[in-house]
Amino acid sequence: MDNDVVRQAPLFSALDDEAATALRGSMSETRLRRGEVLFHEGDSGDRLYIVLDGKVKLGRTSSDGRENLLAILGPGQMFGELSLFDPGPRSATVTAVTDTSFASLSHEDLLRWLDGRPTVARGLLAQIAGRLRKANDVNADLVFSDVPGRVAKALLDLADRFGRTADDGVHVHHDLTQEELAQLVGASRETVNKALADFASRGWLRLEPRSVVIMEVDRLQRRAR
Amino acid sequence: MDNDVVRQAPLFSALDDEAATALRGSMSETRLRRGEVLFHEGDSGDRLYIVLDGKVKLGRTSSDGRENLLAILGPGQMFGELSLFDPGPRSATVTAVTDTSFASLSHEDLLRWLDGRPTVARGLLAQIAGRLRKANDVNADLVFSDVPGRVAKALLDLADRFGRTADDGVHVHHDLTQEELAQLVGASRETVNKALADFASRGWLRLEPRSVVIMEVDRLQRRAR
DNA sequence: CCTATCGAGTGGTCTGGGTCACATGCAGTC
DNA sequence: GACTGCATGTGACCCAGACCACTCGATAGG
């Protein structure tokens, strides 16, 4: 298993070598191919996962069948914590957006682990608190921003986490269809498409299949706020 | 200080008498009158608060001055955890909705406290995880539900936490103006007013100043989903 | 190579709900 | 009691964005 990526997870960044080795022992590895589902909303389960490689989407389905995405997670990010500490069924469906591999840890192992290591426990708290803060931000955006603004913000967030800067701009291979991007910002596919087309026509970015090249980051930033 | 209410907070429910007494020693008490602000979004601060009596609103202001409310909190509920674990300025403004009293604890004291008590740490985690889950639910509602639906859901939530069942229905003294209720569900005051008027005309509830009497809970529930 | 399928791109229509503009109904306070 | 604000009702108007109906490529099976 890729020890480095586990260490890179904010949660475990403070581990010394001994601890990292011990941790690796109790973790197991899983792989999924694009489109496969790790678990469904409503399933029971109490494993914590860390993305080693690839990308996943966390999604929910409303009673009438429409979907929305809570987050896109990449290497080093974890999920599944909700069912750990707020006992209950899984609150979202996790689907691989690209071929993906995970490390996972059972609730039990994690708790045993946490006991002697207050630093890690604090890290976990920080992680979840950060997520909560972000969820609150998304709420505010849904109320205050229009669709183009939310699209701009989503692109900048993806660029931050998955972007590679080149001389012609920031290349962001988000691996999402426009449909998925629309679900992420809470809008229809058509409206998102039009927003993207508008940005492209202004020369702020270039559209490529499942990726974009952002050429004018500051313009997008201004549009996002 | 009101020891019972502190104990009643989910966070500290598992404390034995010795621990509760020790805790009380490091907590201090604050009072606010309706409309007064405890702290503003952007302030620095690292105290954790627990509402002893009364109600507060957690709100944010967008760049163009409009407001939205993240939550209404009553006795036994805590806030301020975000700035504790995700270091940074306060992410919301806290305002008293009624005359309110709080117990508070400094970051330092809390951490010292947590160290020897993994149970409490786990409780804290559970608390924040629950909040995160709720924030995600709100997100989904903003995307999928219409305003009347969100109003219905908000009323049911308030009824759950502040309602008193009488023979003519559930009396909910939410203490909110319709303006505040509107900010809570992310809609305009006028639209919320019309939704309420509609519910009232159907006989589902009765409107009273700063409170409602819900007469047909199940109708509202159906409208909320 | 020929279809099916799926993603992307675009115009046209319709509506939920925001904004504006009022009216009414109250507390306080002078 | 008259005057000033704040909270609450309600209609008229308008627009962002959902929904619908297509077209056009690209990829994939047969």
Side-chain angles (χ1 to χ4, degrees), chain A residues 81-102:
Chain A
E81 352 74 52
L82 273 199
S83 303
L84 279 189
F85 302 107
D86 184 25
R90 312 239 72 142
S91 60
T93 299
V94 175
T95 312
V97 166
T98 64
D99 294 358
T100 309
S101 61
F102 314 91

Side-chain angles (χ1 to χ4, degrees), chain B residues 45-200:
Chain B
D46 64 347
R47 296 203 135 249
L48 174 76
Y49 294 84
I50 295 170
V51 178
L52 295 178
D53 185 54
K55 268 185 219 87
V56 297
K57 54 176 180 179
L58 312 198
R60 323 185 106 196
T61 308
S62 74
S63 47
D64 64 341
R66 296 185 311 168
E67 268 191 52
N68 88 118
L69 299 182
L70 299 176
I72 304 296
L73 302 180
Q77 299 195 276
M78 62 169 204
F79 58 90
E81 351 76 51
L82 273 199
S83 304
L84 279 190
F85 302 107
D86 184 24
R90 312 240 72 141
S91 61
T93 298
V94 175
T95 312
V97 166
T98 65
D99 293 357
T100 310
S101 61
F102 315 91
S104 71
L105 198 58
S106 74
H107 187 191
E108 247 180 303
D109 285 342
L110 180 66
L111 286 185
R112 192 167 329 127
W113 228 77
L114 246 43
D115 263 352
R117 282 170 251 256
T119 324
V120 181
R122 216 166 295 165
L124 195 55
L125 233 13
Q127 187 90 171
I128 298 184
R131 274 272 252 295
L132 178 53
R133 186 175 288 220
K134 197 169 162 188
N136 287 336
D137 287 341
V138 171
N139 274 351
D141 285 339
L142 280 172
V143 174
F144 296 129
S145 304
D146 59 2
V147 172
R150 303 204 302 269
V151 170
K153 187 164 293 196
L155 289 179
L156 290 168
D157 177 50
L158 290 168
D160 242 21
R161 294 185 297 136
F162 305 117
R164 287 229 151 275
T165 306
D167 46 1
D168 61 339
V170 185
H171 290 240
V172 188
H173 280 270
H174 50 66
D175 292 303
L176 302 174
T177 66
Q178 291 188 353
E179 176 73 47
E180 288 167 324
L181 193 54
Q183 292 167 347
L184 184 62
V185 302
S188 73
R189 204 254 321 155
E190 292 90 331
T191 311
V192 169
N193 178 297
K194 284 162 191 169
L196 288 172
D198 180 57
F199 293 161

